[in-house]
Amino acid sequence: MISQTLREARKFEEVSEKMIAEEERPAFHLSARTGWMNDPNGFSYYKGKYHLFYQYNPYNSYWGPMHWGHAVSDDLLHWEYLPTALAPDEFYDRDGCFSGGAVTLPDGRQLLMYTGVIRERQANGGYTEVQTQCLAVGDGVDYEKYENNPVLDERDVPEGSSRKDFRDPKVWQEADGTYRCVVGSRSADGSGQILLYSSEDGFRWQFKSILASNRNRFGKMWECPDFFQLDGKWVLLTSPQDMLPRGFEYHNGNGTLCLIGDYDRETESFIEESDQSVDYGIDFYAMQTLLTADGRRVMLGWMQNWDTCNHRRENEEPWFGQMSLPREISIRNGRLYQKPIRELEAMRRNKVVYEKLVFSGTICPDGIRGRRVDMEVVIRPEEGCDMYRKFAIRFAQNEMYQTSLSYRPGESVLKVDRKFSGSRRAIIHQRRSKVFCKDGALKLRVILDRFSVEAFVNDGEQVISAVLYTDQAADGISFFVDGTVNMDVVKYDLI
Ligand code: FRU
């Protein structure tokens, strides 16, 4: 049975979607069908298609009553919208269906696990939020909420843990057929922790352990955990709120954290070895992964940030929020590496190549422009010349606008600057990042898709993501150097 709330959302999105022209959206990044989008949810492969759900308020371009939007794809790049999957329509989720994951059941149905939110009246007249974990089962289009929801509540958290901050289950199946999930929680000291639960059948869940504890080191509450094995290591991803910057790490307030280490199956605890940001740009949060049929671990995130999403004018925009490019991830030398999914290569057209281009000042090489672009740039100092002082790629450029990636070899700092990208708000527009380059050599792969830039540094050692608001007519690309460099460029349009 489809509830009134869900029926209304489905009807509304079908009509409003038609008001948005194709060119007003990213071409190959999933954006809100209409209204508002935040976190990726239920990122999965089911019945021969990739499924991506998302935190969704169809009714306007602001965060509001959370539904789960839904889209499917064959290649993770071209998405087809499906009707809203979940609406806040039950007594245990009436104030929101928050983030969660998806897994396939032995009988072929898909199980969604999500956080149900209610605002509860307190004795003093105020309200507090209560979060529980809930299930819905479906066929890839329609989902029915489980009759015994919620399946995890305040009785299933360790002593002293918050009932307000208990959310974002990420569920997976173990080799023995049983299920596990990790959930973000807050312990008595106000700090984040990740709880591990297990289930024989996906429906009855038991608390296992506190998998990892923040102990107030990386921000406060830990949202949207994901936990998996990768290249012989165990990786815990989470998005901490209220982070303090540390050197060049963790500058985003609501940041991203990748912990690499080991997993002690005896004590069911994670053993941390190293920590780093997942993305070093401005807009990236709440990432989630899936395992493809051919064994690739693919990650994507919400290409926004809670601290920078306030750039809109009231209700002027019919949609807000897009996902990052799906990225194949791996561990190399104890660090997280990310590469654009290889399916992107099938979209490459109009190859333009420059080799060993030696220049000073500004150049705009023929054939290099556009807003849907895949461009690889390699620079090195020119032999016999002094070390250059600054190199920059400027794009989404005309007389009025430009966004830039600039690199200073003296400090080994790469900066993204989108001050002149159409934003009318005084939000963060720059981010500096330490990169690991030697002797002035830098390799960048820059992906543009109308309203965003994602720069993969040195074969994916770091990624810098930012959204742009620039008018599409600004499609110039130029290169600048203070000094002299020797540069290779390979550029494609993405069509
Ligand atoms: C992360 C988050 C999640 C929550 C959702 C609500 O961005 O705050 O923790 O489930 O967004 O929309």
Side-chain angles (χ1 to χ4, degrees):
M1 260 296 284
I2 290 178
S3 70
Q4 175 86 4
T5 320
L6 182 58
R7 199 172 322 117
E8 278 167 11
R10 288 181 167 192
K11 201 166 144 205
F12 184 85
E13 66 185 355
E14 220 182 292
V15 175
S16 340
E17 180 197 14
K18 299 202 175 81
M19 328 269 261
I20 308 171
E22 210 189 302
E23 324 75 70
E24 290 168 27
R25 298 178 175 279
F28 52 92
H29 289 71
L30 182 69
S31 54
R33 184 169 180 186
T34 175
W36 163 278
M37 162 195 279
N38 58 291
D39 314 354
N41 293 157
F43 190 29
S44 54
Y45 188 73
Y46 177 64
K47 284 192 186 163
K49 294 222 180 254
Y50 293 106
H51 286 249
L52 182 51
F53 303 82
Y54 53 92
Q55 289 287 281
Y56 181 38
N57 174 18
Y59 298 109
N60 60 51
S61 61
Y62 286 80
W63 191 86
M66 279 295 107
H67 297 61
W68 274 35
H70 191 186
V72 289
S73 173
D74 290 323
D75 63 358
L76 293 162
L77 296 167
H78 298 89
W79 294 96
E80 178 197 336
Y81 291 112
L82 292 184
T84 298
L86 300 177
D89 53 13
E90 289 287 348
F91 68 91
Y92 49 79
D93 65 14
R94 60 170 185 257
D95 292 305
C97 299
F98 277 17
S99 288
V103 80
T104 306
L105 292 168
D107 64 8
R109 293 177 303 162
Q110 193 179 36
L111 182 73
L112 308 182
M113 191 169 192
Y114 68 98
T115 299
V117 179
I118 56 170
R119 271 156 41 87
E120 192 186 71
R121 195 74 190 244
Q122 301 303 286
N124 67 6
Y127 283 92
T128 187
E129 231 178 56
V130 182
Q131 304 187 333
T132 59
Q133 314 320 318
C134 304
L135 303 173
V137 180
D139 61 0
V141 179
D142 295 311
Y143 295 84
E144 197 155 328
K145 291 180 182 169
Y146 180 46
E147 61 207 16
N148 295 327
N149 276 344
V151 294
L152 289 172
D153 65 20
E154 59 192 278
R155 291 165 300 189
D156 303 295
V157 298
E159 178 92 44
S161 302
S162 164
R163 52 203 287 263
K164 178 167 171 275
D165 289 306
F166 178 40
R167 59 180 172 273
D168 310 335
K170 173 78 198 299
V171 54
W172 72 93
Q173 193 171 29
E174 291 278 300
D176 66 3
T178 63
Y179 299 89
R180 294 284 172 117
C181 75
V182 279
V183 186
S185 160
R186 203 188 267 250
S187 55
D189 67 358
S191 169
Q193 61 186 356
I194 303 301
L195 306 180
L196 180 70
Y197 295 86
S198 74
S199 170
E200 291 289 320
D201 58 3
F203 293 89
R204 284 165 303 145
W205 288 88
Q206 283 98 38
F207 173 76
K208 273 272 171 205
S209 66
I210 300 175
L211 181 71
S213 298
N214 184 5
R215 297 188 301 280
N216 283 309
R217 294 166 302 151
F218 305 102
K220 295 188 173 172
M221 170 65 185
W222 280 1
E223 301 190 307
C224 302
D226 198 347
F227 185 55
F228 49 87
Q229 199 167 17
L230 186 64
D231 298 329
K233 291 283 176 193
W234 283 85
V235 177
L236 179 62
L237 300 178
T238 182
S239 297
Q241 297 179 313
D242 309 310
M243 294 194 93
L244 287 170
R246 217 177 61 194
F248 281 90
E249 298 284 342
Y250 312 127
H251 281 239
N252 277 349
N254 289 282
T256 55
L257 175 66
C258 171
L259 295 170
I260 300 173
D262 211 344
Y263 176 30
D264 182 344
R265 290 250 181 200
E266 282 288 288
T267 59
E268 305 276 5
S269 59
F270 176 69
I271 302 154
E272 263 174 59
E273 287 167 9
S274 65
D275 68 272
Q276 61 171 101
S277 303
V278 176
D279 195 282
Y280 291 82
I282 305 171
D283 298 300
F284 191 84
Y285 195 70
M287 55 282 162
Q288 205 175 73
T289 69
L290 65 63
L291 200 58
T292 61
D294 59 1
R296 290 175 287 161
R297 182 61 66 173
V298 173
M299 176 188 78
L300 52 65
W302 178 39
M303 199 157 43
Q304 271 304 335
N305 184 291
W306 291 111
D307 296 87
T308 57
C309 60
N310 247 332
H311 65 75
R312 288 144 303 159
R313 306 285 294 182
E314 194 83 31
N315 288 335
E316 265 179 22
E317 290 177 28
W319 66 270
F320 179 84
Q322 55 178 310
M323 294 302 167
S324 75
L325 203 62
R327 303 163 181 183
E328 293 176 16
I329 59 173
S330 58
I331 304 288
R332 263 196 268 162
N333 313 320
R335 293 210 33 113
L336 180 74
Y337 273 71
Q338 305 172 48
K339 284 192 164 191
I341 42 153
R342 60 193 69 164
E343 283 81 349
L344 194 66
E345 285 155 35
M347 292 179 68
R348 287 170 161 180
R349 301 284 184 282
N350 310 330
K351 185 174 185 180
V352 177
V353 182
Y354 288 91
E355 267 169 7
K356 303 209 167 37
L357 197 64
V358 178
F359 74 101
S360 307
T362 300
I363 57 166
C364 308
D366 267 0
I368 299 194
R369 60 184 321 112
R371 291 287 289 272
R372 280 176 301 155
V373 163
D374 182 347
M375 181 167 73
E376 194 162 274
V377 178
V378 179
I379 58 161
R380 51 194 94 76
E382 170 63 354
E383 246 169 74
C385 295
D386 287 344
M387 178 63 81
Y388 63 95
R389 285 163 294 280
K390 178 181 168 184
F391 168 80
I393 307 177
R394 295 175 180 146
F395 49 93
Q397 185 178 25
N398 63 9
E399 308 72 48
M400 188 130 155
Y401 301 113
Q402 67 166 56
T403 300
S404 65
L405 287 161
S406 59
Y407 176 63
R408 289 177 185 275
E411 306 149 32
S412 201
V413 166
L414 182 66
K415 183 175 93 175
V416 61
D417 187 338
R418 52 113 188 255
K419 235 186 340 295
F420 305 106
S421 71
S423 165
R424 294 168 196 270
R425 301 269 72 86
I427 56 172
I428 293 287
H429 289 315
Q430 293 184 350
R431 178 76 67 236
R432 284 180 174 75
S433 173
K434 192 106 195 153
V435 293
F436 310 104
C437 294
K438 273 227 260 335
D439 309 320
L442 172 71
K443 189 170 177 185
L444 288 177
R445 182 162 167 205
V446 180
I447 311 287
L448 305 180
D449 182 12
R450 289 199 181 118
F451 302 102
S452 65
V453 55
E454 288 161 282
F456 295 78
V457 187
N458 293 335
D459 295 308
E461 193 172 22
Q462 280 163 300
V463 188
I464 291 181
S465 307
V467 299
L468 325 174
Y469 324 111
T470 321
D471 189 60
Q472 295 300 306
D475 66 349
I477 298 179
S478 64
F479 302 90
F480 164 83
V481 62
D482 178 5
T484 307
V485 285
N486 184 319
M487 173 173 84
D488 302 334
V489 184
V490 182
K491 180 253 170 188
Y492 303 87
D493 295 322
L494 291 172
I495 294 179

